[in-house]
Each structure stands twice: as C-alpha cells, then as structure tokens.
C-alpha cells in the first residue's frame, strides 16, 4: 500500500523483513510484553550475523520480490501536480538554527545504532526503522528527548528574537508601514525555510 499521495511504498531489505518477522514471532509468544527496542534490535542483529546464507535466503527472496514490485510501481507512478519544490531562496547564514523535535533528537541518538544493525539498508528503510523504534519507546524513554527538544526550543526562541532585533536595527524599514510589512514577511519566510530544511532532513531519512 502506498502513501496518501499515491507514491509506492519504499522497498524493504532482507534484514528489514527479518526484523519484521522477529517482531511478529515475539508478539505471538509474548502478546502483553512491551518490547525494549534497543535490546530487541541488538538481539536481532546478533541473530542475523550468526545465520547461514541458506537461512537468510528466504528474506533475500522476499526483498528481491519487493524490489521488483517497487520498480514496477515507480514506473507507473506520476507525481501529483505541484509536488515539486522550486529552488529555495538563499537563507541568511546568520539566522539561528531551527529547534529540533523530540523525534529528531531521538534519531540523532539512535541512527548510528540502526546503521550498524542494517548496513545494507537504504536511507528510507533506516528512517522507517527509526520511526518504529520511536513508536516502541515508553513515555519514560521519550521524556529524555522531549526535555532536549524543550531546551532547544527555548534556545531557538531566544536566538530568533535577538536575530530579529539585530536585523531590524541593521536594516531599517523603508517606506514606512509598507516597508515594515515587507521586512516582516521576509523574516517569516526565513523561518519557513528553516521548517523546510527540517522536513528535508526527515525526507532524506525517508
């Protein structure tokens, strides 16, 4: 099943199918048990390393079949109109870096571990695995990253206010209220570009 815009679902690697199978088996054996994603992923990686090529063949076959499915669907896929982004306006290098969400902090922390356990996976597959691991986190585990996000948000708000103040003094509005409105639109556009960058990071992961 594809995304809401009709784009085909990304293909899965042999290891991703293996992990998916392990999850299903674990849920059947322990339906009421909360999975600790870090420990579970480590066990999957250790098990995968000790498996023979013959044992892995089943998952490689599944991955190959999914690869063909993806290639066929992509050939027939026509992106919706207006989905292509135009060239971005150059940003002010002095503008503060946008605050990261709790999930982004989690990804920064967890991505290296995922790459170790999924060395042959694509960027999109790694992003999906990060999403699954985030969903498996308990509220207590997420609180660490939510605290980092709150701290980073406070940092950003402080820096953006100072940036706007400094920018306003350095570039006084011309043409009275009309000029002031133009400057405000420019500043808001800068912030929107920052939002786009954060989204692009996520897409790169996807």
């Amino acid at each position: 099943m594809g995304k809401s815009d009709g784009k085909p679902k990304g293909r899965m690697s042999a290891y991703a199918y293996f992990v998916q199978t392990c999850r299903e088996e674990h849920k059947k054996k322990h339906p009421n048990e909360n999975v600790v994603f870090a420990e579970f992923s480590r066990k999957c990686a250790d098990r995968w390393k000790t498996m023979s090529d013959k044992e892995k063949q089943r998952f490689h076959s599944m991955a190959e079949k999914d690869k063909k499915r993806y290639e066929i669907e992509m050939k027939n896929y026509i992106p919706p109109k207006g989905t292509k982004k135009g060239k971005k306006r150059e940003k002010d290098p002095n503008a503060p870096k946008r605050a990261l969400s709790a999930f982004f902090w989690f990804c920064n922390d967890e991505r290296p571990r995922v790459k170790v356990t999924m060395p042959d996976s694509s960027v999109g597959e790694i992003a999906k695995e990060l999403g699954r691991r985030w969903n498996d986190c308990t509220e207590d585990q997420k609180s660490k990253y939510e605290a980092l996000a709150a701290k980073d948000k406070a940092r950003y708000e402080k820096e953006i206010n100072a940036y706007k103040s400094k920018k306003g003094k350095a570039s006084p509005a011309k043409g009275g209220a009309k000029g002031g409105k133009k400057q405000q639109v420019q500043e808001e556009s800068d912030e929107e570009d920052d939002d786009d960058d954060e989204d692009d990071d996520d897409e790169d992961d996807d």
Side-chain angles (χ1 to χ4, degrees), residues 157-175:
E157 290 177 347
K158 181 179 179 180
E159 289 182 2
I160 194 65
N161 287 334
Y163 168 73
K164 287 181 178 180
S165 178
K166 185 177 180 180
K167 189 174 181 180
K169 291 177 182 178
S171 304
K174 293 181 181 180

Side-chain angles (χ1 to χ4, degrees), residues 172-189:
K174 293 181 181 180
K178 187 176 180 181
K181 185 176 181 180
K182 184 177 180 181
Q183 183 183 354
Q184 182 181 358
V185 171
Q186 178 77 11
E187 289 170 351
E188 289 174 353
S189 182

Side-chain angles (χ1 to χ4, degrees), residues 2 18 20 22 26 30 32 41 55 93 112 143 148 163 170 192 204:
F18 168 70
Q20 185 182 72
C22 288
H26 185 84
H30 312 283
N32 300 318
S41 297
E55 289 174 315
S143 64
L148 287 170
Y163 168 73
E192 288 174 0
D204 288 341

